Amino acid sequence: MKAQNIHLRTVTSFGAEWLTYNQAAIAGLKSTSARFQEYFSIFPWDTLPENAEGADVGCGSGRWALQVAPRVGTLHCVDASAGAIEIARRNLSKQTNCKFHHVSVDEIPLPRASLDFCYSLGVLHHVPDTFEGIKSCVGLLKPGAPFLLYLYYALETRALWYRSLWRMSDVLRRAISRLPYWPKRLVCETIAFGVYLPLACLASLVQRLGANPEKLPLSWYRDKPLHTLRTSAFDRFGTELEQRFTRSQIERMMLDAGLVDIRFSDKEPYWCAVGRKALG
């Protein structure tokens, strides 16, 4: 029997994350809509058919599905974590067009070539075989249908000092992510308030003074709510399996999975890309 394309300890950690940081408190904030646009600005909404059917692979708490569901006919919310599915059902209770699937990315119970769109944001770098995860998603698409993908980038555009700082933080992540839940949560909350928040405030101050803050660590969080900082700290340091890819590696995986017309966003978060399933 083929092994599932999941890392069980990572799935368990994400389940705990969404039960703790369920996103309900920020669902209606303008900053949430702005963050949605950061990911979906390159998505070809105008090419979807009426009552389009699609999938959110790795739906987590349903934070993106909340924005997508009102725009489409049917949205399949997929996650390997039972805790995530529980929270997504709760957060999406008013969206009658959502269907929920507690399965891994390689076991989604939908016919091949049946979907009008699919997206997977910040998920497939947390599975053992990222390329196979992409292939599983693309296999669900009709020819010509779009797939929106976000994977952690390998910091290839950053300076040497920045990459060195990240390597040191990654050593911490490997240790913190193996802790039991409550010690791990305490450490991640400390990082959120002691590292993320001060650096986000510094970047915000630099921007208000008229300078460009984008080269500063964690500058992307300068306009994000505290809830996002706390979630991201737990996501970054509490997750055991994390892979990172260069832009060229992501493009190659997308091409090899059967996508064409690939386009990358030129803004953070990196890397976010969209492609269409080949017609042939």
Side-chain angles (χ1 to χ4, degrees):
M1 180 181 293
K2 182 180 178 182
Q4 290 179 306
N5 193 10
I6 59 174
H7 186 268
L8 290 176
R9 290 190 298 275
T10 296
V11 168
T12 300
S13 179
F14 272 114
E17 175 179 339
W18 298 127
L19 287 168
T20 303
Y21 309 102
N22 62 31
Q23 307 293 310
I26 64 170
L29 297 182
K30 289 184 178 180
S31 60
T32 304
S33 296
R35 193 175 183 200
F36 174 80
Q37 289 302 323
E38 289 174 335
Y39 289 97
F40 281 84
S41 62
I42 58 173
F43 189 76
W45 293 107
D46 58 339
T47 67
L48 295 184
E50 187 176 358
N51 294 319
E53 181 176 357
D56 178 337
V57 177
C59 66
S61 65
R63 52 182 169 170
W64 308 133
L66 276 169
Q67 304 278 341
V68 174
R71 305 168 185 242
V72 301
T74 302
L75 183 62
H76 296 275
C77 299
V78 179
D79 206 288
S81 164
I85 289 293
E86 176 187 338
I87 294 300
R89 283 184 187 275
R90 190 183 308 167
N91 288 342
L92 294 161
S93 61
K94 296 181 180 179
Q95 303 296 330
T96 59
N97 60 336
C98 290
K99 298 182 180 181
F100 301 90
H101 307 276
H102 173 211
V103 294
S104 61
V105 64
D106 54 333
E107 295 186 328
I108 300 173
L110 298 172
R112 291 181 62 81
S114 64
L115 297 183
D116 299 304
F117 70 94
C118 182
Y119 61 91
S120 184
L121 305 179
V123 176
L124 296 181
H125 45 238
H126 293 306
V127 303
D129 194 326
T130 298
F131 173 59
E132 286 297 325
I134 295 172
K135 282 178 60 178
S136 294
C137 294
V138 174
L140 298 173
L141 293 172
K142 297 175 182 177
F147 177 54
L148 181 67
L149 175 68
Y150 165 59
L151 296 176
Y152 284 168
Y153 79 125
L155 307 176
E156 69 270 24
T157 63
R158 295 290 191 172
L160 178 60
W161 69 267
Y162 192 106
R163 296 197 301 272
S164 298
L165 186 63
W166 175 83
R167 290 190 187 97
M168 288 188 287
S169 74
D170 200 51
V171 172
L172 289 175
R173 177 190 65 81
R174 293 172 188 273
I176 295 168
S177 65
R178 290 175 169 83
L179 293 173
Y181 172 71
W182 281 107
K184 177 165 64 176
R185 181 178 174 185
L186 177 60
V187 173
C188 291
E189 289 279 357
T190 301
I191 292 172
F193 283 94
V195 179
Y196 276 62
L197 182 58
L199 288 175
C201 290
L202 174 61
S204 178
L205 175 61
V206 169
Q207 185 175 43
R208 289 200 299 271
L209 292 175
N212 183 0
E214 292 186 359
K215 293 185 178 180
L216 296 174
L218 303 180
S219 64
W220 185 66
Y221 294 97
R222 63 188 179 274
D223 59 350
K224 306 300 186 291
L226 180 59
H227 191 283
T228 297
L229 273 62
R230 295 169 65 206
T231 303
S232 295
F234 194 95
D235 188 32
R236 174 69 182 89
F237 289 93
T239 305
E240 189 170 334
L241 176 61
E242 175 190 292
Q243 303 179 77
R244 288 179 176 263
F245 303 92
T246 65
R247 174 171 172 157
S248 61
Q249 287 173 327
I250 295 169
E251 183 174 26
R252 173 46 53 192
M253 287 191 293
M254 294 177 75
L255 287 168
D256 289 347
L259 295 168
V260 296
D261 299 332
I262 296 167
R263 183 161 60 100
F264 282 80
S265 171
D266 59 1
K267 300 177 181 179
E268 289 188 278
Y270 302 125
W271 290 111
C272 194
V274 66
R276 293 186 177 276
K277 187 174 182 179
L279 296 176

